[in-house]
Amino acid sequence: MECNSTAQDCRYNSVIPPIISDNLLFYFQLVNWTILIGTINTFGVISNGLNIAVIYNMGFTEKNTINLSLFALAISDFGSCLTSLWLSVGLNPWFKRLRLPFDSYEISYIYGAWPHVAFTKITTLITAFITFERCLCVWMPIKIKSIITRKRILCYIVFCFVLNFALLVPMFYANRIENKFYIKYNRTMLGLVYSENREEIEGVVYLFLNVFLSMFAFVMIIILTILLVVKLQEKSKWRQMATGVSSDVSKNENNTNCDSKKKDANVSSKDQKVSRMVVMISTLFIACFIPTVAVHFAMWLERKIAFQGVYDNLNEVMASCTFFMESVNTSVNIVIYYKNSSNYKAVFDKMFRSKK
């Protein structure tokens, strides 16, 4: 029996047995969604709230344009963690068993999962831009200030937010919240009612948002991170050689050029510290998003494992694993900032740690 705008959940109309039983799914939901994802995203909401406050107080001057990108990244990470936290509640198997006037599973899908996807894609695009900016800073340090300006960064950030949330409009058109009768519960509740062309709309949005856009940004982050690491290693070797050569320079030449060389070395050292921090951010992103990219690609190839498809239980298990990895990425940046940015640490300590 096919699903349409008035039909019931495909899970209960299909004669194909599920790959993951309902009993096993219960424990996956309890452990993954409720405990693991709920815990890590509670930390993520708090940590990104702190990141937003600290980076805002660090300022957005032309000398620190990366702060604007990190600020936008903290906002998108905060939204990602907040929507994941809502999903951990909505998909709690005990919460779902309450006699609520709505189906928490379906409500969470449209008001939790898709906004989370939008925030996640914004995080992906901003991470790619931050890595790109650091590559330019290392490869073209003289021209970087004229290429990357606050106005251009702001335009890019606004574009990322507008694009991703504009793509949610057709999703809310194809999935509407109305009263309908549920065979499983034998009663009428608020749930999703689908438009006739829902599958076509979701297919197009899913293809662009979760396949093309994600794959492009993901590949770009990998390539840019590799280029950044290679260039940092080259600069590190060059600095070691320059230090050895400078020890053989005559005393007169050393007195003449000492101040300017020291200043150049300090600037280069600062850029390298920021670049290493960016490498850590992008490497963490790559490690955490490999499962997400693989699952999105698999769901695009096989629609039976999509939301409310024939293998919907498998979809929930896969989604819980990818959401957990995404939550780790969006929650622990505060540790990277505090350990690798002296400016961030100083502002954080001034704002939140009591003076000894």
Side-chain angles (χ1 to χ4, degrees):
M1 181 177 179
E2 295 182 357
C3 287
N4 51 46
S5 58
T6 59
Q8 302 303 312
D9 197 331
C10 293
R11 294 170 293 173
Y12 307 110
N13 291 326
S14 174
V15 296
I16 302 176
I19 297 176
I20 304 294
S21 66
D22 289 344
N23 187 49
L24 183 58
L25 177 63
F26 174 88
Y27 292 103
F28 264 102
Q29 291 174 329
L30 183 62
V31 174
N32 282 22
W33 284 113
T34 306
I35 300 176
L36 296 180
I37 294 178
T39 302
I40 189 65
N41 281 288
T42 299
F43 172 78
V45 169
I46 297 172
S47 66
N48 282 295
L50 295 175
N51 285 340
I52 292 171
V54 173
I55 297 173
Y56 178 81
N57 280 275
M58 289 169 64
F60 310 112
T61 63
E62 288 291 352
K63 293 182 179 180
N64 297 297
T65 53
I66 192 173
N67 287 353
L68 187 57
S69 300
L70 294 177
F71 183 75
L73 182 64
I75 293 176
S76 64
D77 286 348
F78 180 86
S80 179
C81 290
L82 193 62
T83 50
S84 288
L85 189 59
W86 154 238
L87 281 170
S88 71
V89 175
L91 298 181
N92 184 326
W94 289 329
F95 183 76
K96 289 166 65 176
R97 289 183 177 182
L98 299 175
R99 291 187 62 84
L100 301 170
F102 59 88
D103 187 319
S104 63
Y105 179 82
E106 295 185 357
I107 300 298
S108 299
Y109 170 75
I110 192 63
Y111 289 123
W114 274 103
H116 171 81
V117 169
F119 279 117
T120 300
K121 297 304 169 286
I122 294 170
T123 292
T124 303
L125 293 174
I126 293 177
T127 302
F129 180 81
I130 291 173
T131 313
F132 172 72
E133 187 268 344
R134 279 295 99 186
C135 279
L136 289 181
C137 185
V138 174
W139 284 81
M140 296 184 294
I142 299 177
K143 298 180 180 180
I144 182 65
K145 296 300 180 183
S146 60
I147 299 175
I148 305 296
T149 62
R150 285 186 299 177
K151 184 177 180 180
R152 290 175 180 174
I153 294 174
L154 185 60
C155 288
Y156 177 80
I157 291 171
V158 171
F159 169 77
C160 291
F161 276 88
V162 171
L163 171 66
N164 283 277
F165 282 103
L167 290 173
L168 294 183
V169 174
M171 295 302 301
F172 286 107
Y173 165 77
N175 300 271
R176 299 185 299 275
I177 302 297
E178 295 181 10
N179 278 313
K180 68 176 185 178
F181 183 77
Y182 287 81
I183 296 176
K184 180 182 180 181
Y185 305 111
N186 193 30
R187 62 193 180 97
T188 300
M189 299 187 301
L190 283 174
L192 290 180
V193 176
Y194 310 121
S195 64
E196 293 181 358
N197 55 347
R198 174 234 181 180
E199 289 191 4
E200 290 77 9
I201 293 174
E202 284 199 358
V204 172
V205 174
Y206 194 93
L207 179 63
F208 179 78
L209 198 61
N210 286 340
V211 180
F212 290 158
L213 190 62
S214 292
M215 289 295 294
F216 173 76
F218 187 73
V219 171
M220 288 300 299
I221 291 172
I222 294 175
I223 295 174
L224 292 170
T225 302
I226 293 174
L227 292 175
L228 186 56
V229 170
V230 170
K231 195 63 178 179
L232 285 174
Q233 290 179 343
E234 289 181 0
K235 281 186 170 291
S236 179
K237 292 179 180 179
W238 179 87
R239 182 174 290 102
Q240 292 175 358
M241 294 175 61
T243 302
V245 172
S246 64
S247 62
D248 298 329
V249 178
S250 64
K251 185 175 181 180
N252 291 334
E253 290 178 338
N254 202 25
N255 289 335
T256 304
N257 300 320
C258 180
D259 293 337
S260 61
K261 288 183 177 180
K262 185 176 181 180
K263 182 178 179 181
D264 292 340
N266 288 335
V267 173
S268 180
S269 177
K270 179 181 177 181
D271 286 341
Q272 281 208 342
K273 287 180 179 179
V274 175
S275 298
R276 289 193 183 99
M277 184 182 73
V278 171
V279 168
M280 294 180 67
I281 294 171
S282 57
T283 302
L284 175 66
F285 175 89
I286 292 169
C288 291
F289 272 74
I290 288 176
T292 300
V293 173
V295 168
H296 285 330
F297 196 70
M299 289 172 61
W300 175 63
L301 293 176
E302 180 52 77
R303 294 296 297 170
K304 289 181 180 179
I305 60 176
F307 171 74
Q308 291 197 343
V310 176
Y311 300 125
D312 185 63
N313 286 0
L314 178 61
N315 172 274
E316 277 206 58
V317 172
M318 295 167 61
S320 67
C321 296
T322 59
F323 272 55
F324 174 74
M325 294 301 295
E326 292 173 1
S327 299
V328 171
N329 174 73
T330 54
S331 300
V332 301
N333 279 342
I334 188 172
V335 179
I336 297 176
Y337 298 157
Y338 192 82
K339 293 292 184 181
N340 295 274
S341 173
S342 57
N343 192 14
Y344 180 95
K345 183 178 181 180
V347 175
F348 184 94
D349 290 344
K350 183 179 179 180
M351 292 178 64
F352 301 110
R353 298 188 66 180
S354 58
K355 297 181 179 179
K356 295 183 179 179

